[in-house]
Amino acid sequence: MKIIMMPMLGLAMAAGASVAEPLVDFVATDTVWRVTAGAYRPEFAAGQLVRTDEGLVIRTDCAKEARSAKWLTLDVPRAAGARTDWNGRLIALVMPRPPSGRMMSNIALNFIDREGETFQFFAVGTHYNDCGELVFVYDLKNMRGVSSWGGKPADGRLDSPVRFGSVSIHYGGGDTGEAVLSRVENVEREAAAAPRRETPSFVLRRGPP
């Protein structure tokens, strides 16, 4: 299991970039990121999370896994995930560039409600923003196709307060891949309806492979 402390990066804001404070900053100095225990053998786990000037790099490699799995999960520390109530929000996961390799098929965000029930959301859309960053949009008002597990009671209702629990990168074809995470931010619903640049086909695949 890899544990890293993320130092602050000086990121220049290009024209048209959002200046609002992100809901989650993957390069924040006060956040420790971990890959869920057991996914990778200890001798390889240290290489699965890497800090670069672009952001938090998550690497996937089937040959280094400790068990057969179809996803890699990045745990969101409780303090970072519970800074706001996520229930009903329209949010964006921002990446400075598309994932590399053919291994990654989609990225899910997992949220945990008041009763401990976990809900997994897949992106309802993708686009490039004015800075050329790849944006995955998630609608926590839209429960269609959302899977849930755990909790007492496990009633399938998203009960406030809701915290951000983890990021799950789902595997497709290929053996290795890499994704760089920058931040999670709010999205204005009016802006989300505006026409966007076409995105690569692999980010439009819905649900697990």
Side-chain angles (χ1 to χ4, degrees):
M1 178 175 63
K2 171 62 175 173
I3 302 176
I4 60 175
M5 184 69 74
M6 301 298 296
M8 181 62 72
L9 302 179
L11 300 177
M13 299 297 291
S18 171
V19 296
E21 182 178 357
L23 297 171
V24 173
D25 185 355
F26 290 101
V27 297
T29 58
D30 60 348
T31 305
V32 177
W33 298 102
R34 297 179 176 90
V35 172
T36 296
Y40 284 86
R41 299 197 296 273
E43 64 269 31
F44 295 126
Q48 302 317 120
L49 294 182
V50 179
R51 182 188 64 83
T52 72
D53 290 341
E54 291 184 297
L56 179 62
V57 179
I58 304 176
R59 295 172 176 169
T60 55
D61 189 337
C62 284
K64 297 178 180 179
E65 288 182 2
R67 55 176 170 78
S68 177
K70 292 185 178 180
W71 57 83
L72 178 150
T73 299
L74 176 72
D75 294 327
V76 176
R78 179 176 287 270
R83 286 174 181 160
T84 186
D85 184 359
W86 297 80
N87 201 354
R89 288 182 180 269
L90 185 67
I91 59 173
L93 172 67
V94 182
M95 304 173 64
R97 55 182 170 83
S100 63
R102 295 184 301 109
M103 188 175 186
M104 298 180 186
S105 65
N106 213 323
I107 298 178
L109 303 186
N110 302 321
F111 296 87
I112 303 171
D113 75 356
R114 181 182 64 229
E115 307 299 335
E117 190 171 3
T118 298
F119 296 79
Q120 184 167 88
F121 290 81
F122 286 91
V124 297
T126 59
H127 64 268
Y128 289 106
N129 63 18
D130 293 341
C131 302
E133 298 171 309
L134 180 60
V135 178
F136 289 71
V137 179
Y138 301 80
D139 189 352
L140 273 67
K141 276 188 175 180
N142 182 2
M143 300 297 291
R144 193 171 102 187
V146 174
S147 58
S148 64
W149 61 89
K152 294 182 180 180
D155 56 10
R157 290 200 310 254
L158 201 56
D159 300 311
S160 290
V162 174
R163 66 181 174 90
F164 187 11
S166 57
V167 179
S168 290
I169 296 177
H170 287 250
Y171 299 169
D175 297 320
T176 62
E178 178 180 288
V180 186
L181 307 184
S182 172
R183 64 193 180 276
V184 177
E185 59 189 16
N186 275 315
V187 176
E188 296 294 334
R189 291 187 179 270
E190 294 79 7
R196 301 290 183 177
R197 291 171 52 194
E198 183 180 358
T199 54
S201 60
F202 72 86
V203 299
L204 300 177
R205 290 160 60 180
R206 297 294 304 278

